């Protein structure tokens, strides 16, 4: 198996991870804790925005992050398999 | 039918269901006993993980805890869900590719050292045991409150049920029973929440109802903020806590979740790497069903409670109030002798001086146990008796499923990590299976005994299981996957630093009389695992670069687990 392909696979994976974990950090520690007071001046319906992120929104984002990662990695796995079997 | 008959009936049916499932899925090999033969469908594994994860505390206590903490309750909500992102992205796929049975297996092989394996086994045993005692206690409490059975016999019934399916079925039996238990517990949690949401804000989805309007046109959350202000409490939706401490506690719970052995081991049970990732997503979705409903229940029930009792004559209170007084979960003491209930924040000196004294209030007259927020919900909303019975069955399902998962980790640590991989490497598969069954049987009995006579430290220690998992397992596993350079000296030094530092900080501030003003940067013991984890990382990396790199075959193993399925 070519190490070039393996390296490409791992680098791409690390790139996905970095971006998604940054989003993970921003929606929970950022919106839910650090900037919550500032966000609370905005509202969606009956929710103050900071409060919504802390008790609801961050959890929805967590699910979305995993879904996106699963989709991206399934695609990357396919690509990897195709390249590996190429002459 | 009376309440007790309904409760016996529904709890009985749920127990029969578990036993039938367990009999149908009993284990025949060590692989089935430890990891259900790695043949569990990712959606089912998601459900099993959710049931494994959500304990009696999540089911019974969390909504009540949030109701009294308000905004800050977010540390539990985010902390106990955010860890699944780390699991899905950083741990589960690689550990599944590694393809053995336990977390100490991975630590032992990745760090090519029996010493590292032993540290991992001890940490796994300590974390799982403190946790399981709490579950057994929860089982006893649920039985004694609802079925009017003595607490002791409640625990014994719970022990017998778990004994039956854990010893017989191992991981396979536990997995499929957990799937059934998840269905029972989530149904039991959502039904009352939906009813109450419709009653209060006319919205059948509690997650949206939380932001809904009351019948008088004000937003529910604004109303609760107003009520809290009027009674001298902190506003519900505003955070007043030290931000560093808030973030550290949230992080410790997240990292701890990702490092708990009974959660990690669930991802060894799916067929391949792809399914491990998918399964973590399903698990979080199922967990989120409960975790996004809990804050709604918290707000509904706190508003309801205050509305119902505040400044009302005791004689005119509804029947449920008096029922629950009988259990000791609600206490009313007429301190100023006016026959009415005054509930307010008597620890707020300005409020006491300016408002309470003027109105002739002599201290808050109501004591509320937080568990009541979930337990009494159906009665407060006037729901039929079978819903109350369902909540009892749900609480028991939550406690039993978590207990079984933990007991399996305890038995695997002993039969597989200690016996098979250390003391008796030549043991046959049949012998190992027998050892596993015997150890789980002994573990169930000890856990039951400890549940009846809980050591005094248990309640305080359970929360710290997370801190310890965060400070020990999490960095060792992450670095083992993402660095080829990290070696055994580094990993062992790091794990020991994390464990010793975190334990010392907790013991000093919880048991040796340390006071909160001496906290480092205001970090409370619940959040210190995060700092322990950082120390672990620093020490591991430092020691690693002073010592030689790991052998070539270990580096190859790391490369192997990073790649997708063949």
């Amino acid at each position: 198996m070519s190490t070039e392909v393996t390296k490409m696979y791992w680098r791409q994976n690390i790139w996905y991870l970095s971006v998604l974990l940054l989003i993970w950090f921003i929606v929970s520690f950022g919106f839910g804790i650090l900037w919550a007071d500032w966000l609370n001046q905005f509202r969606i319906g009956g929710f103050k925005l900071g409060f919504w992120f802390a008790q609801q929104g961050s959890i929805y984002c967590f699910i979305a992050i995993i879904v996106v990662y699963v989709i991206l990695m399934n695609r990357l796995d396919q690509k990897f398999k195709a390249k590996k079997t190429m002459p | 039918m009376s309440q007790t008959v309904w409760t016996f009936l529904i709890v009985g049916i749920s127990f029969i269901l578990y036993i039938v499932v367990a009999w149908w899925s009993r284990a025949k090999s060590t692989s089935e006993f430890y990891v259900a033969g790695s043949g569990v469908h990712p959606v089912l594994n998601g459900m099993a993980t959710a049931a494994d994860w959500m304990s009696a505390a999540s089911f019974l206590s969390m909504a009540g805890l949030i109701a009294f903490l308000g905004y800050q309750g977010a540390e539990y909500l985010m902390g106990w869900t955010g860890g699944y992102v780390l699991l899905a992205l950083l741990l589960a796929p690689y550990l599944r590719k590694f393809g053995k049975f336990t977390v100490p297996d991975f630590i032992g092989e990745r760090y090519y050292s029996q010493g590292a394996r032993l540290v991992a086994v001890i940490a796994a045993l300590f974390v799982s045991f403190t946790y399981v005692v709490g579950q057994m206690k929860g089982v006893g409490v649920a039985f004694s409150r609802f079925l009017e059975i003595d607490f002791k016999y409640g625990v014994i019934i719970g022990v017998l049920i778990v004994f039956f399916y854990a010893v017989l079925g191992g991981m396979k039996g536990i997995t499929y029973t957990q799937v059934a238990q998840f269905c029972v517990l989530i149904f039991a949690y959502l039904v009352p929440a939906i009813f109450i949401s419709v009653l209060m804000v006319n919205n059948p989805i509690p997650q949206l109802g939380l932001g809904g309007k009351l019948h008088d046109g004000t937003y529910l959350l604004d109303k609760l903020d107003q009520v809290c202000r009027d009674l001298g409490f902190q506003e519900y939706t505003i955070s007043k806590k030290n931000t560093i401490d808030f973030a550290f506690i949230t992080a410790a719970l997240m990292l701890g979740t990702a490092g708990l052995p009974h959660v990690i081991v669930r991802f060894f049970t799916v067929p391949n790497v792809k399914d491990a990732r998918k399964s973590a997503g399903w698990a979080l979705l199922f967990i989120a069903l409960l975790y996004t409903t809990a804050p709604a229940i918290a707000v509904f029930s706190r508003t309801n409670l205050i509305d119902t009792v505040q400044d009302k004559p005791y004689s005119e209170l509804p029947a449920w109030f008096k029922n629950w007084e009988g259990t000791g979960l609600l206490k009313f003491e007429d301190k100023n002798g006016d026959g009415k209930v005054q509930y307010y924040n008597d620890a707020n000196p300005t409020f006491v001086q300016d408002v309470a004294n003027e109105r002739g209030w002599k201290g808050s007259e109501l004591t509320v146990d937080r568990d009541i927020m979930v337990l009494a919900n159906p009665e407060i909303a006037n729901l039929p008796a079978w819903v109350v019975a369902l909540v009892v069955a749900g609480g028991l399902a939550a406690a039993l499923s978590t207990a079984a998962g933990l007991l399996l980790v305890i038995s695997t640590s002993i039969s597989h990590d200690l016996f098979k991989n250390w003391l008796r490497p030549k043991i046959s598969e049949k012998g190992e299976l027998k050892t596993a069954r015997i150890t789980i049987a002994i573990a169930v009995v000890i856990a039951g005994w400890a549940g009846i006579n809980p050591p005094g430290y248990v309640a305080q220690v359970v929360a710290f299981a997370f801190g310890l998992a965060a400070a020990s397992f999490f960095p060792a596993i992450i670095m083992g996957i993402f660095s080829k350079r990290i070696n055994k000296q580094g990993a062992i030094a790091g794990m020991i630093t994390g464990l010793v530092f975190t334990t010392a900080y907790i013991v000093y501030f919880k048991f040796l009389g340390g006071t909160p003003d001496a906290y480092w940067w205001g970090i409370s013991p619940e959040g210190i695992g995060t700092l322990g984890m950082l120390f672990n990382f620093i020490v591991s990396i430092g020691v690693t670069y002073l010592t030689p790199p790991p052998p070539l075959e270990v580096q190859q193993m790391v490369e192997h687990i990073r790649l997708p399925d063949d």
Side-chain angles (χ1 to χ4, degrees), chain A residues 15-35 39 53-54 56-69, chain B residues 74-91 246-259 280 284 470 474 478 530 533-534 537:
Chain A
W15 168 242
Y16 291 158
L17 288 179
S18 318
V19 174
L20 289 173
L21 286 177
L22 184 69
I23 299 173
W24 168 80
F25 185 84
I26 292 174
V27 295
S28 52
F29 292 96
F31 294 167
I33 299 176
L34 296 174
W35 309 315
L39 281 176
F53 264 106
Q56 297 273 305
S58 56
I59 302 177
Y60 301 139
C61 294
F62 295 155
I63 299 174
I65 290 170
I66 300 184
V67 170
V68 170
Y69 184 66
Chain B
E75 62 200 27
Y76 297 104
L77 293 166
M78 291 194 286
W80 284 335
T81 52
Y84 279 85
V85 174
L86 301 175
L87 269 168
L89 271 58
L90 302 176
L91 298 163
F246 196 162
F248 267 67
I249 293 178
T250 308
L253 296 178
M254 284 181 179
L255 302 162
T257 302
L284 182 58
F474 183 76
I478 291 290
T530 309
M533 175 211 65
L534 292 175
F537 270 115

Side-chain angles (χ1 to χ4, degrees), chain B residues 42-267:
Chain B
V43 178
L44 295 184
N45 189 50
M47 286 187 190
T49 311
D52 203 31
W53 173 238
M54 293 189 286
S55 60
S58 288
F59 189 93
L60 295 174
S61 312
M62 195 174 62
L65 198 62
I66 298 167
F68 292 105
L69 285 175
Y71 186 93
Q72 265 168 48
E75 62 200 27
Y76 297 104
L77 293 166
M78 291 194 286
W80 284 335
T81 52
Y84 279 85
V85 174
L86 301 175
L87 269 168
L89 271 58
L90 302 176
L91 298 163
Y94 311 105
L95 291 174
R96 178 62 196 85
K97 182 74 191 291
F98 169 70
K100 291 280 171 59
F101 297 147
T102 66
V103 174
D105 254 348
F106 177 77
I107 304 266
E109 290 202 21
R110 169 61 185 83
Y111 297 112
Y112 47 98
S113 144
Q114 294 294 4
R117 189 192 297 271
L118 199 65
V119 176
V121 169
I122 292 169
L125 284 177
F126 179 77
V127 168
S128 303
F129 191 75
T130 45
Y131 216 113
V132 81
V133 174
Q135 302 308 314
M136 285 299 177
K137 224 180 122 193
V139 173
V141 169
F143 270 110
S144 60
R145 261 180 213 162
F146 291 96
L147 302 176
E148 284 145 38
I149 292 174
D150 191 50
F151 176 83
K152 198 163 55 187
Y153 297 113
V155 176
I156 293 174
I157 296 172
V159 165
L160 287 176
I161 298 279
V162 175
F163 188 92
F164 180 78
Y165 67 76
V167 174
L168 194 71
M171 186 55 130
K172 198 172 165 206
I174 289 172
T175 302
Y176 292 106
T177 342
Q178 279 173 341
V179 172
Q181 283 160 338
F182 172 76
C183 298
V184 172
L185 83 86
I186 201 69
F187 187 68
Y189 204 78
L190 293 181
V191 166
I194 291 170
F195 270 110
I196 295 172
S197 184
V198 170
L199 284 177
M200 283 183 79
V201 289
N202 207 10
N203 191 328
I205 303 169
Q207 285 83 346
L208 301 177
L210 176 58
K213 275 184 184 163
L214 293 163
H215 298 299
D216 62 3
T218 51
Y219 282 117
L220 174 60
L221 286 167
D222 292 345
K223 165 85 184 289
L224 184 54
D225 273 347
Q226 179 65 44
V227 169
C228 286
R229 265 198 309 271
D230 290 349
L231 297 177
F233 293 105
Q234 190 187 310
E235 273 178 77
Y236 193 84
T237 58
I238 301 291
S239 159
K240 286 267 157 51
K241 195 172 178 175
N242 172 348
T243 311
I244 297 180
D245 193 27
F246 196 162
F248 267 67
I249 293 178
T250 308
L253 296 178
M254 284 181 179
L255 302 162
T257 302
L260 281 178
H262 73 287
V263 177
I264 294 179
V265 76
R266 290 241 43 101
F267 295 97

Side-chain angles (χ1 to χ4, degrees), chain B residues 317-361:
Chain B
L317 291 177
W320 62 262
F321 188 93
K322 287 171 192 155
N323 288 345
W324 283 96
E325 254 186 328
T327 65
L329 292 182
L330 269 180
K331 271 192 215 106
F332 168 64
E333 187 191 343
D334 197 1
K335 287 180 183 160
N336 62 354
D338 67 351
K340 290 181 180 175
V341 182
Q342 278 101 29
Y343 171 61
Y344 64 99
N345 186 3
D346 52 7
N348 176 344
T350 22
F351 182 81
V352 170
Q353 207 180 353
D354 296 353
V355 184
N357 287 348
E358 201 164 297
R359 294 187 192 166
W361 294 353

Side-chain angles (χ1 to χ4, degrees), chain B residues 256-405:
Chain B
T257 302
L260 281 178
H262 73 287
V263 177
I264 294 179
V265 76
R266 290 241 43 101
F267 295 97
F268 288 99
T269 65
V270 293
N272 56 43
V273 176
K274 215 171 122 185
D275 286 339
R277 287 195 285 259
K278 233 192 263 174
S279 186
W282 282 111
L284 182 58
L285 181 72
F286 294 132
I287 291 165
L289 276 179
L290 192 147
Y291 273 59
T292 53
T293 307
I297 292 183
V299 169
F300 295 152
S301 48
R302 180 140 179 213
T303 314
N304 248 335
L305 180 75
I306 296 176
D307 243 20
T308 314
V309 303
Q310 182 56 24
D311 234 6
K312 299 272 164 35
Y314 177 70
S315 52
E316 289 169 24
L317 291 177
W320 62 262
F321 188 93
K322 287 171 192 155
N323 288 345
W324 283 96
E325 254 186 328
T327 65
L329 292 182
L330 269 180
K331 271 192 215 106
F332 168 64
E333 187 191 343
D334 197 1
K335 287 180 183 160
N336 62 354
D338 67 351
K340 290 181 180 175
V341 182
Q342 278 101 29
Y343 171 61
Y344 64 99
N345 186 3
D346 52 7
N348 176 344
T350 22
F351 182 81
V352 170
Q353 207 180 353
D354 296 353
V355 184
N357 287 348
E358 201 164 297
R359 294 187 192 166
W361 294 353
K362 299 211 167 76
S364 186
E365 299 173 343
L366 187 68
T367 327
V368 193
D369 185 291
R370 64 190 186 206
D371 289 358
I372 203 171
M373 292 298 181
V374 169
L375 293 173
N377 238 341
E379 285 170 75
I380 296 176
N382 256 327
L383 302 180
W386 63 267
V387 180
V388 182
L390 198 60
V391 171
V392 182
L396 285 168
L400 290 175
S401 56
T402 308

